Amino acid sequence: MKNKTARGFLLPFVALVALIPSGCTHNDGDIGPLFGNWRLVSVAGDTEGHRVPDGYYVDWGFQNTTIHMSMTMPGHRVDNRYGNYRLEDNTLFLDFTDSEEGYGKPLLSLPAQSELQVLRLDGRHLELLYVPTPESQGTTFTFRKF
């Protein structure tokens, strides 16, 4: 009798556990190494307007074709921005076309449409170079995945 009860409990439990890996967090497939959440850890170069004040945190999240930028401020206030992105030939293209409709321009003083050169992208590190004009040396943003 004990054996039938254990089997009756064990079989549904095993079936449930088998379904867990099929849960999907990669909407519309795997987007590669950009997928997930990244925290800004440093800004270097032409930093006018790009610096993050002490006590503030900037995070970027990538899923499908959407980028979510957020800035956490003292007092746990959060400023969220949403746009689109694409990655082609080591260039990250950002498009915040809805910025006039309340979603806000991208953070870090980037324009609504931006191109950033990908200097490094692996499982834990993201380094981007933004050069606004040919005369500029540019600003390097370094992120860590968390």
Side-chain angles (χ1 to χ4, degrees), residues 79-135:
D79 182 2
N80 291 301
R81 314 286 175 96
Y82 294 91
N84 296 308
Y85 81 92
R86 75 181 195 282
L87 181 62
E88 288 180 21
D89 299 325
N90 286 325
T91 301
L92 178 64
F93 296 90
L94 302 180
D95 184 10
F96 284 74
T97 54
D98 294 334
S99 61
E100 301 302 320
E101 297 177 25
Y103 291 106
K105 293 181 181 177
L107 296 173
L108 304 173
S109 299
L110 294 168
Q113 282 78 38
S114 309
E115 294 181 20
L116 297 99
Q117 181 183 356
V118 178
L119 302 176
R120 180 179 182 188
L121 174 59
D122 58 38
R124 304 292 298 159
H125 304 93
L126 173 61
E127 194 170 278
L128 303 169
L129 175 64
Y130 174 64
V131 182
T133 64
E135 304 81 41

Side-chain angles (χ1 to χ4, degrees), residues 17-35:
V17 169
L19 289 175
I20 290 173
S22 66
C24 181
T25 61
H26 292 232
N27 192 13
D28 287 339
D30 186 3
I31 64 166
L34 269 180
F35 175 80

